mmCIF file with all atom_site columns, all heavy atoms in Angstrom:
data_model
loop_
_atom_site.group_PDB
_atom_site.id
_atom_site.type_symbol
_atom_site.label_atom_id
_atom_site.label_alt_id
_atom_site.label_comp_id
_atom_site.label_asym_id
_atom_site.label_entity_id
_atom_site.label_seq_id
_atom_site.pdbx_PDB_ins_code
_atom_site.Cartn_x
_atom_site.Cartn_y
_atom_site.Cartn_z
_atom_site.occupancy
_atom_site.B_iso_or_equiv
_atom_site.pdbx_formal_charge
_atom_site.auth_seq_id
_atom_site.auth_comp_id
_atom_site.auth_asym_id
_atom_site.auth_atom_id
_atom_site.pdbx_PDB_model_num
ATOM 1   N N   . ASN W 1 44 ? 111.905 122.092 78.307 1.00 0.00 ? 122 ASN W N   1
ATOM 2   C CA  . ASN W 1 44 ? 112.307 122.469 79.655 1.00 0.00 ? 122 ASN W CA  1
ATOM 3   C C   . ASN W 1 44 ? 112.218 121.236 80.567 1.00 0.00 ? 122 ASN W C   1
ATOM 4   O O   . ASN W 1 44 ? 111.145 120.647 80.736 1.00 0.00 ? 122 ASN W O   1
ATOM 5   C CB  . ASN W 1 44 ? 111.402 123.582 80.174 1.00 0.00 ? 122 ASN W CB  1
ATOM 6   C CG  . ASN W 1 44 ? 111.890 124.158 81.476 1.00 0.00 ? 122 ASN W CG  1
ATOM 7   O OD1 . ASN W 1 44 ? 112.637 123.535 82.212 1.00 0.00 ? 122 ASN W OD1 1
ATOM 8   N ND2 . ASN W 1 44 ? 111.449 125.367 81.752 1.00 0.00 ? 122 ASN W ND2 1
ATOM 9   N N   . ASP W 1 45 ? 113.337 120.846 81.165 1.00 0.00 ? 123 ASP W N   1
ATOM 10  C CA  . ASP W 1 45 ? 113.391 119.657 82.009 1.00 0.00 ? 123 ASP W CA  1
ATOM 11  C C   . ASP W 1 45 ? 112.561 119.823 83.280 1.00 0.00 ? 123 ASP W C   1
ATOM 12  O O   . ASP W 1 45 ? 111.887 118.877 83.704 1.00 0.00 ? 123 ASP W O   1
ATOM 13  C CB  . ASP W 1 45 ? 114.851 119.349 82.355 1.00 0.00 ? 123 ASP W CB  1
ATOM 14  C CG  . ASP W 1 45 ? 115.002 117.983 82.975 1.00 0.00 ? 123 ASP W CG  1
ATOM 15  O OD1 . ASP W 1 45 ? 114.422 117.023 82.433 1.00 0.00 ? 123 ASP W OD1 1
ATOM 16  O OD2 . ASP W 1 45 ? 115.691 117.883 84.017 1.00 0.00 ? 123 ASP W OD2 1
ATOM 17  N N   . THR W 1 46 ? 112.583 121.006 83.866 1.00 0.00 ? 124 THR W N   1
ATOM 18  C CA  . THR W 1 46 ? 111.818 121.243 85.092 1.00 0.00 ? 124 THR W CA  1
ATOM 19  C C   . THR W 1 46 ? 110.321 121.139 84.830 1.00 0.00 ? 124 THR W C   1
ATOM 20  O O   . THR W 1 46 ? 109.592 120.519 85.617 1.00 0.00 ? 124 THR W O   1
ATOM 21  C CB  . THR W 1 46 ? 112.148 122.631 85.669 1.00 0.00 ? 124 THR W CB  1
ATOM 22  O OG1 . THR W 1 46 ? 113.562 122.717 85.840 1.00 0.00 ? 124 THR W OG1 1
ATOM 23  C CG2 . THR W 1 46 ? 111.459 122.857 86.985 1.00 0.00 ? 124 THR W CG2 1
ATOM 24  N N   . LEU W 1 47 ? 109.855 121.710 83.730 1.00 0.00 ? 125 LEU W N   1
ATOM 25  C CA  . LEU W 1 47 ? 108.441 121.608 83.394 1.00 0.00 ? 125 LEU W CA  1
ATOM 26  C C   . LEU W 1 47 ? 108.052 120.173 83.053 1.00 0.00 ? 125 LEU W C   1
ATOM 27  O O   . LEU W 1 47 ? 106.934 119.737 83.345 1.00 0.00 ? 125 LEU W O   1
ATOM 28  C CB  . LEU W 1 47 ? 108.100 122.530 82.223 1.00 0.00 ? 125 LEU W CB  1
ATOM 29  C CG  . LEU W 1 47 ? 108.039 124.017 82.543 1.00 0.00 ? 125 LEU W CG  1
ATOM 30  C CD1 . LEU W 1 47 ? 107.767 124.815 81.280 1.00 0.00 ? 125 LEU W CD1 1
ATOM 31  C CD2 . LEU W 1 47 ? 106.989 124.291 83.592 1.00 0.00 ? 125 LEU W CD2 1
ATOM 32  N N   . GLY W 1 48 ? 108.949 119.424 82.446 1.00 0.00 ? 126 GLY W N   1
ATOM 33  C CA  . GLY W 1 48 ? 108.681 118.018 82.151 1.00 0.00 ? 126 GLY W CA  1
ATOM 34  C C   . GLY W 1 48 ? 108.512 117.195 83.406 1.00 0.00 ? 126 GLY W C   1
ATOM 35  O O   . GLY W 1 48 ? 107.596 116.365 83.506 1.00 0.00 ? 126 GLY W O   1
ATOM 36  N N   . LYS W 1 49 ? 109.394 117.418 84.387 1.00 0.00 ? 127 LYS W N   1
ATOM 37  C CA  . LYS W 1 49 ? 109.260 116.695 85.651 1.00 0.00 ? 127 LYS W CA  1
ATOM 38  C C   . LYS W 1 49 ? 108.003 117.113 86.399 1.00 0.00 ? 127 LYS W C   1
ATOM 39  O O   . LYS W 1 49 ? 107.307 116.273 86.981 1.00 0.00 ? 127 LYS W O   1
ATOM 40  C CB  . LYS W 1 49 ? 110.493 116.931 86.515 1.00 0.00 ? 127 LYS W CB  1
ATOM 41  C CG  . LYS W 1 49 ? 111.717 116.254 85.966 1.00 0.00 ? 127 LYS W CG  1
ATOM 42  C CD  . LYS W 1 49 ? 112.938 116.546 86.801 1.00 0.00 ? 127 LYS W CD  1
ATOM 43  C CE  . LYS W 1 49 ? 114.149 115.867 86.177 1.00 0.00 ? 127 LYS W CE  1
ATOM 44  N NZ  . LYS W 1 49 ? 115.377 116.134 86.929 1.00 0.00 ? 127 LYS W NZ  1
ATOM 45  N N   . PHE W 1 50 ? 107.690 118.413 86.366 1.00 0.00 ? 128 PHE W N   1
ATOM 46  C CA  . PHE W 1 50 ? 106.467 118.895 86.997 1.00 0.00 ? 128 PHE W CA  1
ATOM 47  C C   . PHE W 1 50 ? 105.236 118.275 86.336 1.00 0.00 ? 128 PHE W C   1
ATOM 48  O O   . PHE W 1 50 ? 104.309 117.812 87.017 1.00 0.00 ? 128 PHE W O   1
ATOM 49  C CB  . PHE W 1 50 ? 106.404 120.424 86.909 1.00 0.00 ? 128 PHE W CB  1
ATOM 50  C CG  . PHE W 1 50 ? 105.142 121.007 87.464 1.00 0.00 ? 128 PHE W CG  1
ATOM 51  C CD1 . PHE W 1 50 ? 104.931 121.075 88.825 1.00 0.00 ? 128 PHE W CD1 1
ATOM 52  C CD2 . PHE W 1 50 ? 104.160 121.494 86.619 1.00 0.00 ? 128 PHE W CD2 1
ATOM 53  C CE1 . PHE W 1 50 ? 103.770 121.605 89.337 1.00 0.00 ? 128 PHE W CE1 1
ATOM 54  C CE2 . PHE W 1 50 ? 102.997 122.020 87.110 1.00 0.00 ? 128 PHE W CE2 1
ATOM 55  C CZ  . PHE W 1 50 ? 102.796 122.077 88.481 1.00 0.00 ? 128 PHE W CZ  1
ATOM 56  N N   . HIS W 1 51 ? 105.239 118.224 85.011 1.00 0.00 ? 129 HIS W N   1
ATOM 57  C CA  . HIS W 1 51 ? 104.133 117.636 84.269 1.00 0.00 ? 129 HIS W CA  1
ATOM 58  C C   . HIS W 1 51 ? 103.956 116.163 84.628 1.00 0.00 ? 129 HIS W C   1
ATOM 59  O O   . HIS W 1 51 ? 102.829 115.687 84.812 1.00 0.00 ? 129 HIS W O   1
ATOM 60  C CB  . HIS W 1 51 ? 104.380 117.803 82.765 1.00 0.00 ? 129 HIS W CB  1
ATOM 61  C CG  . HIS W 1 51 ? 103.319 117.198 81.920 1.00 0.00 ? 129 HIS W CG  1
ATOM 62  N ND1 . HIS W 1 51 ? 103.561 116.133 81.105 1.00 0.00 ? 129 HIS W ND1 1
ATOM 63  C CD2 . HIS W 1 51 ? 102.014 117.504 81.764 1.00 0.00 ? 129 HIS W CD2 1
ATOM 64  C CE1 . HIS W 1 51 ? 102.445 115.807 80.473 1.00 0.00 ? 129 HIS W CE1 1
ATOM 65  N NE2 . HIS W 1 51 ? 101.495 116.622 80.864 1.00 0.00 ? 129 HIS W NE2 1
ATOM 66  N N   . PHE W 1 52 ? 105.067 115.428 84.716 1.00 0.00 ? 130 PHE W N   1
ATOM 67  C CA  . PHE W 1 52 ? 104.980 114.014 85.082 1.00 0.00 ? 130 PHE W CA  1
ATOM 68  C C   . PHE W 1 52 ? 104.369 113.834 86.456 1.00 0.00 ? 130 PHE W C   1
ATOM 69  O O   . PHE W 1 52 ? 103.453 113.021 86.635 1.00 0.00 ? 130 PHE W O   1
ATOM 70  C CB  . PHE W 1 52 ? 106.370 113.362 85.045 1.00 0.00 ? 130 PHE W CB  1
ATOM 71  C CG  . PHE W 1 52 ? 106.385 112.003 85.678 1.00 0.00 ? 130 PHE W CG  1
ATOM 72  C CD1 . PHE W 1 52 ? 105.886 110.912 84.990 1.00 0.00 ? 130 PHE W CD1 1
ATOM 73  C CD2 . PHE W 1 52 ? 106.863 111.822 86.970 1.00 0.00 ? 130 PHE W CD2 1
ATOM 74  C CE1 . PHE W 1 52 ? 105.874 109.654 85.578 1.00 0.00 ? 130 PHE W CE1 1
ATOM 75  C CE2 . PHE W 1 52 ? 106.859 110.579 87.556 1.00 0.00 ? 130 PHE W CE2 1
ATOM 76  C CZ  . PHE W 1 52 ? 106.371 109.490 86.857 1.00 0.00 ? 130 PHE W CZ  1
ATOM 77  N N   . TRP W 1 53 ? 104.855 114.566 87.437 1.00 0.00 ? 131 TRP W N   1
ATOM 78  C CA  . TRP W 1 53 ? 104.366 114.365 88.798 1.00 0.00 ? 131 TRP W CA  1
ATOM 79  C C   . TRP W 1 53 ? 102.930 114.814 88.980 1.00 0.00 ? 131 TRP W C   1
ATOM 80  O O   . TRP W 1 53 ? 102.165 114.177 89.720 1.00 0.00 ? 131 TRP W O   1
ATOM 81  C CB  . TRP W 1 53 ? 105.293 115.042 89.810 1.00 0.00 ? 131 TRP W CB  1
ATOM 82  C CG  . TRP W 1 53 ? 106.539 114.242 90.002 1.00 0.00 ? 131 TRP W CG  1
ATOM 83  C CD1 . TRP W 1 53 ? 107.792 114.573 89.609 1.00 0.00 ? 131 TRP W CD1 1
ATOM 84  C CD2 . TRP W 1 53 ? 106.633 112.940 90.593 1.00 0.00 ? 131 TRP W CD2 1
ATOM 85  N NE1 . TRP W 1 53 ? 108.670 113.566 89.922 1.00 0.00 ? 131 TRP W NE1 1
ATOM 86  C CE2 . TRP W 1 53 ? 107.982 112.550 90.525 1.00 0.00 ? 131 TRP W CE2 1
ATOM 87  C CE3 . TRP W 1 53 ? 105.726 112.072 91.161 1.00 0.00 ? 131 TRP W CE3 1
ATOM 88  C CZ2 . TRP W 1 53 ? 108.425 111.326 91.016 1.00 0.00 ? 131 TRP W CZ2 1
ATOM 89  C CZ3 . TRP W 1 53 ? 106.165 110.850 91.647 1.00 0.00 ? 131 TRP W CZ3 1
ATOM 90  C CH2 . TRP W 1 53 ? 107.504 110.492 91.574 1.00 0.00 ? 131 TRP W CH2 1
ATOM 91  N N   . VAL W 1 54 ? 102.530 115.880 88.306 1.00 0.00 ? 132 VAL W N   1
ATOM 92  C CA  . VAL W 1 54 ? 101.123 116.306 88.398 1.00 0.00 ? 132 VAL W CA  1
ATOM 93  C C   . VAL W 1 54 ? 100.213 115.252 87.763 1.00 0.00 ? 132 VAL W C   1
ATOM 94  O O   . VAL W 1 54 ? 99.168  114.911 88.320 1.00 0.00 ? 132 VAL W O   1
ATOM 95  C CB  . VAL W 1 54 ? 100.932 117.688 87.736 1.00 0.00 ? 132 VAL W CB  1
ATOM 96  C CG1 . VAL W 1 54 ? 99.465  118.010 87.537 1.00 0.00 ? 132 VAL W CG1 1
ATOM 97  C CG2 . VAL W 1 54 ? 101.592 118.760 88.570 1.00 0.00 ? 132 VAL W CG2 1
ATOM 98  N N   . THR W 1 55 ? 100.616 114.714 86.624 1.00 0.00 ? 133 THR W N   1
ATOM 99  C CA  . THR W 1 55 ? 99.820  113.679 85.967 1.00 0.00 ? 133 THR W CA  1
ATOM 100 C C   . THR W 1 55 ? 99.784  112.408 86.809 1.00 0.00 ? 133 THR W C   1
ATOM 101 O O   . THR W 1 55 ? 98.716  111.798 86.992 1.00 0.00 ? 133 THR W O   1
ATOM 102 C CB  . THR W 1 55 ? 100.383 113.368 84.574 1.00 0.00 ? 133 THR W CB  1
ATOM 103 O OG1 . THR W 1 55 ? 100.466 114.575 83.829 1.00 0.00 ? 133 THR W OG1 1
ATOM 104 C CG2 . THR W 1 55 ? 99.530  112.375 83.838 1.00 0.00 ? 133 THR W CG2 1
ATOM 105 N N   . PHE W 1 56 ? 100.918 111.989 87.331 1.00 0.00 ? 134 PHE W N   1
ATOM 106 C CA  . PHE W 1 56 ? 101.012 110.756 88.110 1.00 0.00 ? 134 PHE W CA  1
ATOM 107 C C   . PHE W 1 56 ? 100.198 110.848 89.400 1.00 0.00 ? 134 PHE W C   1
ATOM 108 O O   . PHE W 1 56 ? 99.350  109.998 89.678 1.00 0.00 ? 134 PHE W O   1
ATOM 109 C CB  . PHE W 1 56 ? 102.484 110.462 88.416 1.00 0.00 ? 134 PHE W CB  1
ATOM 110 C CG  . PHE W 1 56 ? 102.723 109.169 89.119 1.00 0.00 ? 134 PHE W CG  1
ATOM 111 C CD1 . PHE W 1 56 ? 102.709 107.981 88.418 1.00 0.00 ? 134 PHE W CD1 1
ATOM 112 C CD2 . PHE W 1 56 ? 102.965 109.139 90.481 1.00 0.00 ? 134 PHE W CD2 1
ATOM 113 C CE1 . PHE W 1 56 ? 102.939 106.782 89.057 1.00 0.00 ? 134 PHE W CE1 1
ATOM 114 C CE2 . PHE W 1 56 ? 103.184 107.951 91.137 1.00 0.00 ? 134 PHE W CE2 1
ATOM 115 C CZ  . PHE W 1 56 ? 103.171 106.767 90.415 1.00 0.00 ? 134 PHE W CZ  1
#
Side-chain angles (χ1 to χ4, degrees):
N122 189 338
D123 192 47
T124 305
L125 286 177
K127 290 178 182 179
F128 177 75
H129 178 246
F130 168 78
W131 284 111
V132 167
T133 305
F134 184 79

